[in-house]
Amino acid sequence: MVLPLKQTTLYGPVNSRRYGKSLGINLMPCRYKLCSFNCVYCHFGWTDKRTLDVSECAADLPGFDDVVREVEQAAKSSLDFGLFTFSGNGEPTLYPRFVELVDAVRAIRDRYRPTARVALLSNSSGLGRDDIRQCMAKIDLPVLKLDAGTAKGFRAINRPAPGIGFEATVDHLRSIDDIYIQTVLVDGYPSNTSPDDLAAYFEKIAQIKPQEVHLYSIDRPVPETRLQLVPPERLREIAAQGERETGVPMRAFCKN
Ligand code: SF4
C-alpha cells in the first residue's frame, strides 16, 4: 500500500534522516494528489492531477492566511523542531502565493525561532518561473530533485506535466547557487542506474555544481510495481563513484 495523503497543512515534527526535527508544511490538496510530476516511485501513488497550472484547483488549496496562522501558532508553541519545511502531498512551488509565503514563514522564524532554518523539498519544476528561481536565495536549505541525466530518463522516471523540459530544468538548476540535489535511484523497470544513465547524470551534476547530492532508493511501496530497490551497498558505491567523477560531495541515505 502506498502512503495516504497528508490530511492537514502542518504535519510532524518529522525526524528526518538528514536534517533533524522538521515541521512539515503541506500546501497541496488533501483529497487528491496534485503535482507537476507523476514519479514512478512516489510513495503517495500516482498523481491524480498532473499540471503546472493549478488555477482550477485553487479552491482545494489551503488559504494563505490560514497557513500563516498555523505556522505562527506552531512556531510559538513548545513543539520541538529546528526546520520549517515546505514539502507534503505534491510540489510546494505550485502554490500560487508560494513566494509570499516564504517571506511570511521567514518573518515568523525570525520572530519566534531565530535559530531555525527554512527548507524546501521541490521537484525543480517551478524553476521555470523567475520569481521562484529568485526565491531560492531566501530558503536556507533548497533541496531540488534531479533523477536523470537525459530527457528520456526524465520522462521515464518523473513523467512530467507538459511544458516541463529536461534541459531547461538543468539550465535553471545550474543558474542557482548553494542548492542541494536530491536523487532517487531505482533498479527494475524503468531504471536510472545503468552505466550510461549514471554517466549522463554525473555529467549534469558536474555542470550544476550543487553543495551536495543526496542519493536515495525506494524504501516503501511504490505505484510502479516493476521497480526494484537499489541495494544499500550499491547506492554507496554509486555515491563514491559520483563524488570521484564530479567533485561534488554525494551521500547515500539507506535504511540499513
Ligand atoms: S515530485 Fe514528489 S510528490 Fe510529485 S510525483 Fe514525484 S515524488 Fe511524488
Side-chain angles (χ1 to χ4, degrees):
M1 282 269 291
V2 294
L3 291 179
L5 291 171
K6 301 197 181 306
Q7 293 302 304
T8 51
T9 300
L10 297 192
Y11 59 95
V14 176
N15 206 354
S16 134
R17 282 188 267 174
R18 287 163 299 178
Y19 308 120
K21 289 190 178 147
S22 153
L23 179 76
I25 306 172
N26 166 40
L27 302 176
M28 292 293 103
C30 302
R31 287 188 297 110
Y32 58 92
K33 186 179 154 207
L34 170 63
C35 193
S36 45
F37 282 6
N38 190 12
C39 301
V40 287
Y41 58 76
C42 183
H43 55 236
F44 290 127
W46 296 121
T47 300
D48 299 303
K49 188 146 184 68
R50 186 187 59 153
T51 184
L52 270 179
D53 175 6
V54 299
S55 49
E56 278 180 16
C57 311
D60 301 320
L61 303 177
F64 182 88
D65 293 342
D66 295 333
V67 179
V68 172
R69 190 173 54 247
E70 286 191 44
V71 172
E72 184 163 20
Q73 277 168 0
K76 286 158 71 175
S77 77
S78 58
L79 278 177
D80 179 16
F81 66 91
L83 265 186
F84 297 87
T85 304
F86 293 100
S87 180
N89 290 341
E91 170 53 28
T93 64
L94 289 174
Y95 190 72
R97 295 174 70 184
F98 178 76
V99 174
E100 263 180 274
L101 201 48
V102 168
D103 288 336
V105 169
R106 280 169 51 95
I108 291 168
R109 182 274 309 273
D110 291 349
R111 179 160 182 203
Y112 298 106
R113 297 205 180 212
T115 59
R117 293 182 294 168
V118 177
L120 166 68
L121 303 185
S122 165
N123 66 16
S124 313
S125 65
L127 300 179
R129 279 176 43 191
D130 294 343
D131 60 338
I132 298 282
R133 261 196 329 278
Q134 284 155 15
C135 177
M136 294 301 117
K138 299 182 182 174
I139 294 173
D140 303 307
L141 209 53
V143 182
L144 297 163
K145 183 188 291 298
L146 183 74
D147 291 336
T150 64
K152 188 174 171 211
F154 177 57
R155 285 194 300 273
I157 300 284
N158 302 117
R159 304 157 57 116
I164 305 171
F166 174 72
E167 292 296 344
T169 301
V170 172
D171 284 347
H172 295 318
L173 290 168
R174 290 169 62 171
S175 74
I176 310 169
D177 293 329
D178 299 328
I179 59 171
Y180 293 74
I181 293 286
Q182 176 176 299
T183 300
V184 176
L185 294 176
V186 284
D187 283 339
Y189 182 82
S191 159
N192 50 2
T193 56
S194 75
D196 285 351
D197 290 332
L198 291 175
Y201 166 74
F202 292 153
E203 192 182 317
K204 298 302 184 200
I205 293 295
Q207 293 169 2
I208 294 166
K209 298 189 181 67
Q211 288 281 319
E212 210 169 73
V213 172
H214 299 158
L215 299 182
Y216 294 81
S217 191
I218 49 180
D219 57 10
R220 299 186 174 100
V222 295
E224 172 51 82
T225 54
R226 292 170 292 178
L227 289 183
Q228 291 168 9
L229 166 94
V230 177
E233 200 42 50
R234 175 72 184 129
L235 203 62
R236 290 188 194 104
E237 280 171 16
I238 294 171
Q241 180 192 354
E243 189 163 320
R244 275 195 310 275
E245 293 190 14
T246 64
V248 174
M250 280 199 196
R251 297 171 63 193
F253 289 86
C254 312
K255 272 213 160 158
N256 46 35

